[in-house]
Amino acid sequence: MRHRSFIFLAVALAVMIFGSVGVYAYDSSDDEIAEGITAAGIDVGGMTETEARERLHSELSYDLERPLKVKYRGNRFTLKPEDANIRTNVDEMVDRALERSQQGNVVSRSIRRITGGEVHEEIPVRISFDERAVRALVKRVARKVDQPARDASVSFDGGGVQPVAGRNGREVDTGRLTAQIRDSLVEPTSHRVVKVRVTTVRPKVTTKDLASKYPKIITVNKGTNTVTLYEELKPVKTYRVATGSPGYPTPTGRFAIQNKQVDPVWNVPNSDWAGDLAGRSIPPGPQNPLKARWMGIYGGAGFHGTSDIGSIGSGASHGCVRMLVPDVIDLYDRVDVGTPVFVS
């Protein structure tokens, strides 16, 4: 009786040992990834390590090897995958899938495989790229798309005062664009097309601001020998004057009234035309040709009254703008130091 019990026990023990050895051998010889595991949304369940790696490289390469395009109106900018140095963690995903497949004990894994059980696991893809390539692309887009605002201004073409309208500028939202490019690069199924967003840049000086910026302007037209006073960009009064002779022309360009004086002293320039008066200071009186008022604009040139009424309407001065005495007094009272003067 004891002999039979011993035989029965030995047989049972042998079955257990051989069964355990068989389960262990089955478990250790199976390098397949468990059913139900996906990587980057791709089903890799039931695959070997090599098969999973090949499948992931094949599936992801098509999306990742497409160039990224940035668009703004008619402008196109391209970032090639090789320039961005795009890389994926395929090996890491496969290792994680195998590791997850091996979780549990020998018996539970064997039962799962035999019964067709699944491991529900989604392994995310991790895509890396060269940040320098992204920054370079954003800078390239900004250089092409950015446009500075243009302030409203005043043009003196043709001898008159013409307002020049301001213009809005635009500026690439570089922070947003950088984020869009990054998101597109790390999303395998993205369209790889990014549209540029811009912000409007307003001019600091608008057309409406011009009148307050230029409350008064004086223009001198040497061709017609006239001076015109503009207030809030509109002509309010025109004076007949004498300008510089051909040998001593009134300077052309944009100036401003630098100083003002009532009954000015004439500091005679050291020029040959001044003769014996050169270098002298002539006080107000009959010998002083600067009558009533003085408004200097550049060097020794300026506006002044004259007693030589016959010269008005011609080029007769030594560079100054001669005016009738009532006219120079009138203009003097209307303008301030700093008033723009344009001579053409």
Side-chain angles (χ1 to χ4, degrees):
M1 190 69 178
R2 290 180 178 178
H3 181 68
R4 288 181 179 178
S5 297
F6 177 78
I7 293 174
F8 178 79
L9 181 60
V11 170
L13 183 60
V15 169
M16 290 178 63
I17 292 172
F18 283 111
S20 298
V21 170
V23 169
Y24 177 79
Y26 174 76
D27 179 71
S28 61
S29 65
D30 188 359
D31 67 344
E32 287 185 355
I33 296 172
E35 295 289 347
I37 294 181
T38 60
I42 300 168
D43 184 7
V44 292
M47 295 183 184
T48 65
E49 178 181 351
T50 300
E51 290 171 342
R53 186 175 288 106
E54 290 177 352
R55 175 75 181 277
L56 290 174
H57 276 301
S58 175
E59 294 285 340
L60 294 175
S61 63
Y62 172 77
D63 293 315
L64 297 177
E65 289 177 2
R66 289 179 299 145
L68 181 140
K69 297 180 180 179
V70 176
K71 296 183 178 180
Y72 181 77
R73 297 181 179 176
N75 298 299
R76 299 290 185 273
F77 309 87
T78 302
L79 179 60
K80 297 179 181 179
E82 56 268 28
D83 294 334
N85 195 21
I86 298 176
R87 303 175 300 279
T88 59
N89 61 330
V90 169
D91 292 340
E92 183 182 309
M93 287 191 290
V94 172
D95 290 343
R96 173 59 183 164
L98 289 170
E99 179 184 344
R100 184 66 179 86
S101 300
Q102 294 299 317
Q103 288 183 354
N105 56 46
V106 172
V107 176
S108 65
R109 291 195 297 268
S110 298
I111 292 174
R112 185 189 70 221
R113 289 167 177 163
I114 292 170
T115 60
E118 294 184 351
V119 174
H120 299 289
E121 179 85 8
E122 163 58 30
I123 301 172
V125 64
R126 182 170 52 82
I127 300 172
S128 59
F129 54 86
D130 190 341
E131 282 283 356
R132 292 173 300 179
V134 174
R135 291 194 295 268
L137 175 61
V138 171
K139 286 182 180 180
R140 183 153 54 97
V141 173
R143 282 196 301 267
K144 182 68 175 180
V145 176
D146 283 358
Q147 185 177 77
R150 182 184 68 197
D151 288 343
S153 60
V154 173
S155 170
F156 298 98
D157 292 342
V161 174
Q162 300 294 332
V164 178
R167 181 190 64 197
N168 288 338
R170 61 173 179 259
E171 190 173 85
V172 173
D173 187 341
T174 55
R176 182 186 182 93
L177 179 59
T178 300
Q180 287 177 299
I181 293 173
R182 288 171 176 163
D183 291 345
S184 186
L185 287 175
V186 301
E187 176 53 55
T189 59
S190 72
H191 296 296
R192 290 291 174 92
V193 176
V194 175
K195 293 184 179 180
V196 178
R197 297 283 187 90
V198 299
T199 56
T200 299
V201 180
R202 307 291 181 185
K204 295 179 181 179
V205 180
T206 66
T207 305
K208 292 181 179 180
D209 297 330
L210 283 178
S212 58
K213 184 176 181 180
Y214 298 99
K216 295 182 180 181
I217 297 176
I218 299 171
T219 64
V220 179
N221 189 322
K222 295 191 292 184
T224 60
N225 286 297
T226 55
V227 167
T228 300
L229 173 65
Y230 289 78
E231 294 183 358
E232 297 183 346
L233 306 183
K234 297 178 181 179
V236 294
K237 193 161 186 179
T238 297
Y239 311 88
R240 293 182 68 245
V241 299
T243 56
S245 62
Y248 303 96
T250 301
T252 299
R254 182 171 179 172
F255 310 100
I257 293 179
Q258 297 179 343
N259 53 74
K260 297 173 64 180
Q261 188 177 352
V262 175
D263 294 328
V265 172
W266 180 31
N267 295 306
V268 185
N270 284 308
S271 298
D272 292 341
W273 62 262
D276 294 340
L277 296 177
R280 294 175 56 186
S281 293
I282 310 300
Q287 300 299 318
N288 190 333
L290 311 184
K291 305 299 183 183
R293 302 289 185 272
W294 167 262
M295 291 168 279
I297 61 171
Y298 177 76
F303 301 88
H304 65 83
T306 182
S307 58
D308 188 2
I309 298 175
S311 67
I312 298 298
S314 65
S317 76
H318 289 93
C320 287
V321 178
R322 296 178 183 175
M323 304 182 69
L324 297 175
V325 170
D327 288 345
V328 77
I329 293 174
D330 181 74
L331 180 62
Y332 185 96
D333 292 339
R334 290 173 180 260
V335 299
D336 300 311
V337 171
T339 298
V341 177
F342 186 80
V343 183
S344 62

